[in-house]
Amino acid sequence: MSDEEHHFESKADAGASKTFPQQAGTIRKNGYIVIKGRPCKVVEVSTSKTGKHGHAKCHFVAIDIFTAKKLEDIVPSSHNCDVPEVTRTDYQLIDISEDGFVSLLTDNGSTKDDLRLPTDESLLAQIKDGFAEGKDLVVSVMSAMGEEQICGLKDIGPKN
């Protein structure tokens, strides 16, 4: 045996910690599910009866929470599905740069500068107009599976 210690550094990330397993039969409408590697919000669930070979199946219709694309999946109700760990965090908007990135103030006083403006036209217009008017804006950032996107906006009054 060797006295040397071996240090293994893993550069690969399977994304496993960003999701957790849940039985398909327990996932309901307005819940979250991973379909084709994308975090989605379930908009419709239908369950078929057990057939000749046993398994009842759940048919999920869901919308990707970042791209708004509609995805579908059929899973036996007794099998496990991946459910994404979805979090919403509010940050105060400090600045909008010319290249489409926003500067946000975190709770601990540091800044977060790695987020782009949202692609949703109405939300984008609300953020730009409010910022141009000098309002104090708080944006809601949704994060799941290593992706983040601005998904909401609150006006907390004019800047003093």
Side-chain angles (χ1 to χ4, degrees), residues 30-125:
N30 293 332
Y32 294 101
I33 188 172
V34 177
I35 298 178
K36 295 185 178 101
R38 303 289 306 156
C40 302
K41 185 170 186 156
V42 178
V43 292
E44 190 182 319
V45 181
S46 57
T47 309
S48 66
K49 294 233 180 340
T50 53
K52 189 175 172 185
H53 299 292
H55 289 290
K57 293 198 170 43
C58 294
H59 176 232
F60 295 103
V61 178
I63 293 177
D64 188 314
I65 59 177
F66 296 120
T67 64
K69 285 196 174 94
K70 188 176 181 183
L71 296 166
E72 293 187 45
D73 200 5
I74 296 174
V75 185
S77 63
S78 58
H79 288 206
N80 281 348
C81 292
D82 281 334
V83 175
E85 201 66 63
V86 179
T87 56
R88 284 176 83 118
T89 317
D90 289 350
Y91 298 105
Q92 188 164 351
L93 181 65
I94 303 171
D95 193 23
I96 300 174
S97 62
E98 282 88 46
D99 58 357
F101 282 89
V102 291
S103 185
L104 305 170
L105 183 66
T106 62
D107 289 340
N108 63 10
S110 61
T111 58
K112 181 174 178 56
D113 303 309
D114 58 351
L115 268 177
R116 287 191 165 277
L117 282 165
T119 50
D120 179 32
E121 293 296 327
S122 64
L123 187 60
L124 179 64

Side-chain angles (χ1 to χ4, degrees), residues 3-10:
D3 292 334
E4 294 174 38
E5 281 190 40
H6 294 286
H7 294 287
F8 296 101
E9 286 187 35
S10 175

